[in-house]
Amino acid sequence: MAGAVGGLISLPAWANGWTADTVRSTPQLLSRSQDGLLAELVETIIPATDTPGAKGLNVHQFVQKMITDCYPVTAQNTLRNGLDSLDGLAKTAYGNSFAGGDAAQRTALLTQLSQSTDAGQKEFYSLVKGLTVRGYMSSEYVMTNLTHYQFIPGHYYGCVPVAQKNQKTTSQGK
Amino acid sequence: MSYINIDAQAQNTYDAIVIGSGISGGWAAKELTGKGLRTLVLERGRDVRHVTDYPSTNMQPWEFEHRNQLKREVREANPIISKCYAFYEGTEQFFVKDAEHPYVQDKPFDWIRGYQVGGKSLMWARQTQRWSDFDFDGPARDGFAVDWPIRYADIAPWYSYVEKFAGISGNKDGIATLPDGEFLPPHEWNCVEKHFQKKVAGKYNDRHVIMGRAAHITKPQPIHFQQGRAQCQHRTICERGCPFGGYFSSNSSTIPWAAKTGKMTLRPNSVVHSIIYDEKKGKATGVRIIDADTKQMQEFYARIIFLNAAALNSNLVLLNSTSNRFQNGLGNDSGVLGKYAAFHNYRAGVSGEYDGDLDSTTDGRRPNSPYIPRFRNVHKQEMGFLRGYAAGFSAGRISRSDQSGVGADLKESLLNPKLGGWHVGSHMMGETIPKETNYLALDPNLKDPFGIPQLKISIAYDDNDDKMVKDYQEQLTEMFTEAGFTNIRVRDSHASPGLDIHEMGGVRMGKDPKTSMLNKWNQLHAVKNVFVTDGACMTSTSTQNPSLTYMALTARAADYAVKEMKKGNM
C-alpha cells in the first residue's frame, strides 16, 4: 500500500518500530529466570506452529513493558508472584518445572489456572493471557503477514457482499 | 533614548494582530494577509509545521511502545485530559497537560485544550454542519439569551466561501434545518445505515438521516492542490495530523496559505496577557504577551486585533485586559463579559444490534458517519423543554474470535475470526441554553505559571438538559425499534460539561450594547478595532458542530474590518 502513494509516507527515522531492544523495560521488572519463565508461558499460550509463536515475537517483553508502564502498580506483584508459583504448580501437576513439561502438560496446567478458585492465580492468568493475545495480534509479524492490516485503505465501501470480501482478503486484521 | 524606543515600537508594529492560530485564528490570518495586511499571528504554544511535526502520523499500530495506551504516570498526572477520547499515546503531544495551564473548577468542567500552532484544528472531529434560520431565530423566538444580530442570509455566502477552500464533503439533502453547502462527494453509507434512513423516512415526515458533512477532501479541486493537499486516504487516524492534508486544519491549509503571502509573521510561544487599550485614542493599540521561553513581557502594536484564542481563553484575555476605562474587562460596559457561556450536551447515547443484512459488510474505513439533524421544537415550541438535539448514527460489523482456549487451538481461533452481526449506535448533541449563572471569571487569588489570573469556570447542566437527554433516549429507542434493531440500550454518561469540546459564549454577539459584547460584525461594541470570531462570540449554541460557523464568521468579519480600514474607520 505504501508504494501506491509514493514518497509522501516513507518512514522517517523516528518510526522504526518496536523491537526486542526498544521495548525492554527499564528498570527490569523481572529477574532473568522470571523473564525466561514468562517467555515459556506466553509461548504455551500461543505456540510456534508453521508461524512464529509468542516467544519468537518477543511478546513476553511486551507483557512486561505494559505491566511496568501502564498497569496499576499492583499488577507487577501479580505477575511476579504468579511466575514464582508456576514451577510449584507444575511440580504438583506433572512432577517437573513448568518449562520441563511438554505442550500438553503445560496447556493442561494453564487450563487449570484459568479455572482456579484462587483469586491471585486467576488474576495472574487473565493478566498474562490478555496481554499475550494483545501483544501477539498487534505485533508487526501478525498484522503484516497474517491479518493483513491496511494502514491506508484509501476507501470506504459501504455495502460489500460478505462472500466477495472473504475472497479478497483472508482477514481484515483489525 | 526616545529614538531607540520609537524604533523598537515601529519594529513591533503591524497592520493586524491575530491572537491564536487554531481553526478561526488560521482563517483570520489567511483573510487578513490575503487582503494585504501585515499580520502578526500570536500563538501561545509551540510551532507545529505541517507533516514534519506530526511524529506519530506514519506509525503503524505495532510501532507504538504501548499500543497507544497511556502510560500510568501520564494518566495519573492528567486526570482531566485523560478523559478525552482523542488523547492517547500517539496524540499526547497535541494536548495541554493538566498542570500546564491550571484553572478553577467552580463546578466540574473538563477543559480540553491544544496549545500549538493549529490549536485544536489538528485533532478536531471534522464535522461541519451549517446553521439555518431555525437556529439563528432560537433565542428571539424562545425568549432566552438575546437575539442574534445576524440571520442565515448574512452568513450563507461566507459558509460557501470557507467550504470551497477547506474542502467539505456532503450530500445535497435539501433539508431546511441543515442547509446544503459547497460539497465534495459524500462518504458512502453501509447497508444497515441505508436501511435505518429508509425506515425513519417512512415513519416520520420531519426526521432525516443524512451523511454527515465533514471537512474531508473526497475529491480534490484545484484550490486544494494549490494548498498542497490531497485526497483523504481513509486512514482514520486524523488526530495525529494528516500528511496528505486530507482533512482541514490550520496547519495544512490556512497558516501555510497566509505564510505564502509574505505578509504573515507567526510568533509561537507567545502567551497573550492582555489587549492594550489607549484611552486618548479610544481604541485598542496592541497586545501584551509573555514570551514562554524568556518569561519577559513584550508589546506588539497594530491597527486591528482579532481575538481567536478559543472560546474560554478569549474570555480570559478580555477579562484580564483592564484599564481605567474598562475596569471589568475590555469592552465590558454591559457587564455581560464571561456570562451566558454554554456548550453542547453529549451525555447520552443509544446502542443496539441488527440481525438483518447479514450477507453484506463494509470494506475500508470511513472518517465520518451519518447525522440526524434536530427535529424537536423546530417550527414551534412543542416539548416540555427548550430547543433540541441533533444525533450521530452509525452501523458496523466487527470480526471476533473465540479467545477461551490455550495453545495451538487459541492461535488458530485468533487468526480466523468470525464476522459478527451488526452493531448500531448513536450519540446526542444537545443545545444548552446560555444563562447568566453559567459564567467565567478571573480567580481573585490564583495565578497560572505565567502570573496571569486563573480562569474560574462555573458551568453546569440544568433541568432542561436532563429532559432533553430523556427525550433523546426515548426517541432514538423508538426509531431503532422501528428499524427492527434489538437489544437496544440507552446510556447517560453524566460526564461533566467540557468533554464535548464545544464551549461557547461569554463574549456574545447582539444588537444592543447594553446586553451584548459584540455587534453583528463580531466587533466589540465599545472598542471597534477588536474583533472576536471564535466560539466566545456565540449568542446561542444550537446543535451543529460549531467550527464551520466560526470559520465563516471570521472570514466575514475580516472582510468587513479591511473595508472599514480602507474607509478610514479604524
Side-chain angles (χ1 to χ4, degrees):
Chain A
M1 270 325 277
V5 287
L8 250 183
I9 59 149
S10 63
L11 280 184
W14 35 257
N16 279 331
W18 77 273
T19 66
D21 294 329
T22 60
V23 302
R24 189 173 288 279
S25 302
T26 47
Q28 289 289 310
L29 174 63
L30 301 181
S31 68
R32 184 172 285 269
S33 65
Q34 286 171 327
D35 176 70
L37 186 54
L38 180 62
E40 294 309 316
L41 177 54
V42 301
E43 181 67 10
T44 306
I45 295 170
I46 301 176
T49 50
D50 53 345
T51 59
K55 181 182 171 184
L57 296 173
N58 290 308
V59 170
H60 54 297
Q61 292 183 355
F62 171 75
V63 171
Q64 291 171 63
K65 183 88 190 162
M66 294 300 288
I67 289 175
T68 305
D69 293 347
C70 300
Y71 277 57
V73 181
T74 51
Q76 301 184 9
N77 281 333
T78 303
L79 178 66
R80 277 189 295 247
N81 295 343
L83 287 169
D84 290 345
S85 66
L86 203 52
D87 277 337
L89 292 169
K91 285 251 160 50
T92 312
Y94 52 78
N96 207 334
S97 67
F98 179 77
D102 62 22
Q105 289 171 325
R106 289 196 275 176
T107 303
L109 178 60
L110 292 193
T111 305
Q112 181 196 320
L113 265 185
S114 72
Q115 293 157 358
S116 173
T117 49
D118 181 304
Q121 283 181 7
K122 208 166 176 171
E123 198 185 332
F124 164 69
Y125 175 75
S126 58
L127 174 72
V128 174
K129 182 174 173 188
L131 278 170
T132 301
V133 168
R134 186 169 165 203
Y136 173 77
M137 292 304 287
S138 63
S139 68
E140 178 171 11
Y141 179 86
V142 171
M143 291 191 82
T144 306
N145 301 298
L146 304 181
T147 57
H148 308 292
Y149 171 70
Q150 287 185 301
F151 188 52
I152 306 175
H155 66 262
Y156 174 79
Y157 303 135
C159 292
V160 179
V162 171
Q164 184 186 318
K165 187 167 175 184
N166 285 345
Q167 270 174 5
K168 210 185 94 188
T169 52
T170 48
S171 121
Q172 189 54 28
K174 180 75 185 195
Chain B
M1 277 309 269
S2 65
Y3 176 78
I4 292 167
N5 282 339
I6 290 164
D7 201 42
Q9 181 151 348
Q11 250 182 28
N12 285 350
T13 300
Y14 298 82
D15 297 326
I17 294 174
V18 177
I19 300 172
S21 63
I23 218 152
S24 66
W27 268 99
K30 173 190 172 290
E31 293 305 301
L32 296 174
T33 56
K35 294 171 194 297
L37 266 54
R38 285 180 59 251
T39 304
L40 173 67
V41 179
L42 297 170
E43 166 53 53
R44 67 176 294 153
R46 69 193 170 95
D47 195 8
V48 170
R49 286 155 301 160
H50 184 44
V51 188
T52 48
D53 288 330
Y54 306 157
S56 61
T57 189
N58 284 329
M59 286 172 69
Q60 303 280 344
W62 55 85
E63 291 174 333
F64 290 95
E65 221 180 339
H66 306 99
R67 301 298 199 276
N68 270 320
Q69 191 168 329
L70 292 170
K71 290 174 77 165
R72 183 177 58 248
E73 63 199 40
V74 173
R75 231 173 35 238
E76 285 173 355
N78 298 282
I80 297 170
I81 190 62
S82 295
K83 292 184 199 169
C84 176
Y85 72 99
F87 182 69
Y88 57 84
E89 188 173 27
T91 62
E92 278 175 43
Q93 66 278 7
F94 294 145
F95 288 89
V96 173
K97 309 303 175 290
D98 292 7
E100 216 173 293
H101 189 201
Y103 62 100
V104 179
Q105 298 188 52
D106 192 49
K107 291 168 182 166
F109 187 94
D110 297 316
W111 191 10
I112 310 302
R113 293 154 289 171
Y115 293 165
Q116 62 244 329
V117 168
K120 298 192 294 295
S121 78
L122 273 172
M123 315 87 86
W124 67 312
R126 311 166 310 282
Q127 285 287 310
T128 39
Q129 328 297 342
R130 287 189 180 199
W131 278 41
S132 74
D133 273 337
F134 294 106
D135 307 302
F136 287 110
D137 277 344
R141 191 196 75 181
D142 294 342
F144 64 93
V146 290
D147 189 13
W148 275 88
I150 58 169
R151 285 295 181 272
Y152 181 64
D154 297 304
I155 196 173
W158 295 101
Y159 274 135
S160 291
Y161 179 79
V162 299
E163 283 166 347
K164 283 183 210 161
F165 189 83
I168 307 296
S169 68
N171 183 54
K172 288 194 185 287
D173 298 295
I175 297 169
T177 47
L178 205 76
D180 293 334
E182 311 289 335
F183 295 146
L184 305 171
H187 286 111
E188 274 195 30
W189 297 77
N190 65 44
C191 297
V192 172
E193 291 163 350
K194 269 191 220 166
H195 160 80
F196 183 63
Q197 180 189 43
K198 206 177 349 173
K199 285 292 178 182
V200 170
K203 184 173 167 83
Y204 310 92
N205 290 327
D206 60 343
R207 301 187 191 183
H208 309 277
V209 186
I210 63 166
M211 184 50 64
R213 288 93 187 249
H216 283 265
I217 298 181
T218 48
K219 188 179 178 194
Q221 302 301 304
I223 188 64
H224 306 125
F225 288 131
Q226 285 166 37
Q227 296 169 45
R229 297 171 59 200
Q231 188 162 333
C232 165
Q233 295 297 309
H234 295 248
R235 305 191 317 161
T236 62
I237 48 174
C238 312
E239 59 281 353
R240 298 191 213 161
C242 181
F244 307 100
Y247 72 90
F248 173 85
S249 66
S250 297
N251 312 64
S252 66
S253 178
T254 47
I255 293 289
W257 193 269
K260 264 197 301 194
T261 63
K263 300 278 184 186
M264 181 180 75
T265 303
L266 177 61
R267 194 180 197 288
N269 304 312
S270 304
V271 180
V272 169
H273 174 276
S274 52
I275 294 172
I276 305 161
Y277 180 76
D278 186 315
E279 281 183 36
K280 283 190 203 127
K281 292 177 179 160
K283 61 184 185 181
T285 52
V287 176
R288 275 181 214 100
I289 67 141
I290 298 168
D291 187 297
D293 294 327
T294 66
K295 306 284 188 290
Q296 295 297 306
M297 194 175 268
Q298 224 177 315
E299 295 187 350
F300 295 95
Y301 311 96
R303 292 167 67 196
I304 60 167
I305 293 158
F306 267 68
L307 178 52
N308 301 85
L312 301 193
N313 272 322
S314 287
N315 277 274
L316 175 53
V317 168
L318 291 180
L319 286 164
N320 201 40
S321 301
T322 52
S323 55
N324 272 333
R325 167 71 180 81
F326 294 109
Q327 299 188 2
N328 300 311
L330 189 67
N332 191 16
D333 287 335
S334 59
V336 300
L337 174 59
K339 295 174 182 167
Y340 303 97
F343 57 100
H344 280 154
N345 177 358
Y346 270 60
R347 266 164 46 187
V350 182
S351 63
E353 289 165 19
Y354 184 55
D355 56 11
D357 282 322
L358 289 173
D359 52 354
S360 76
T361 185
T362 64
D363 190 59
R365 293 191 291 273
R366 184 182 59 193
N368 187 13
S369 60
Y371 181 94
I372 304 167
R374 176 168 71 96
F375 54 83
R376 283 306 198 200
N377 297 324
V378 172
H379 296 281
K380 61 178 197 301
Q381 179 61 41
E382 57 197 355
M383 302 301 299
F385 54 84
L386 283 176
R387 311 310 292 165
Y389 47 84
F393 171 75
S394 66
R397 297 180 81 168
I398 356 177
S399 295
R400 291 182 196 285
S401 51
D402 176 11
Q403 304 194 354
S404 59
V406 179
D409 291 348
L410 172 64
K411 190 176 181 185
E412 177 74 13
S413 162
L414 288 173
L415 295 176
N416 293 283
K418 302 277 176 290
L419 188 58
W422 289 94
H423 287 264
V424 293
S426 168
H427 68 275
M428 83 175 284
M429 298 173 270
E431 176 164 358
T432 70
I433 306 300
K435 295 171 296 188
E436 193 170 9
T437 48
N438 275 348
Y439 70 92
L440 311 156
L442 299 184
D443 188 276
N445 305 311
L446 296 170
K447 301 273 202 295
D448 72 13
F450 296 101
I452 296 171
Q454 288 188 22
L455 190 66
K456 182 169 87 171
I457 303 177
S458 190
I459 292 177
Y461 294 106
D462 64 16
D463 183 47
N464 199 64
D465 303 315
D466 294 338
K467 285 180 182 159
M468 211 186 281
V469 164
K470 190 163 173 283
D471 187 62
Y472 160 83
Q473 291 176 333
E474 286 168 1
Q475 293 312 306
L476 264 290
T477 298
E478 186 182 289
M479 291 155 75
F480 275 22
T481 305
E482 179 67 17
F485 299 159
T486 56
N487 198 14
I488 300 168
R489 290 167 197 218
V490 300
R491 63 176 186 276
D492 178 354
S493 71
H494 294 285
S496 308
L499 277 185
D500 46 296
I501 328 183
H502 286 181
E503 57 274 12
M504 290 175 248
V507 194
R508 70 184 180 189
M509 296 171 75
K511 292 171 176 163
D512 186 350
K514 290 195 189 70
T515 56
S516 62
M517 291 289 295
L518 303 168
N519 68 14
K520 64 178 175 176
W521 301 108
N522 295 75
Q523 219 171 0
L524 280 178
H525 287 298
V527 190
K528 291 281 196 281
N529 67 333
V530 175
F531 294 79
V532 184
T533 67
D534 61 14
C537 78
M538 299 296 276
T539 309
S540 64
T541 72
S542 201
T543 57
Q544 288 89 332
N545 308 66
S547 295
L548 181 73
T549 299
Y550 306 161
M551 296 192 225
L553 286 173
T554 303
R556 178 175 175 271
D559 182 68
Y560 172 79
V562 174
K563 281 180 181 154
E564 286 296 292
M565 283 172 94
K566 285 185 177 151
K567 285 186 207 159
N569 292 342
M570 286 287 171

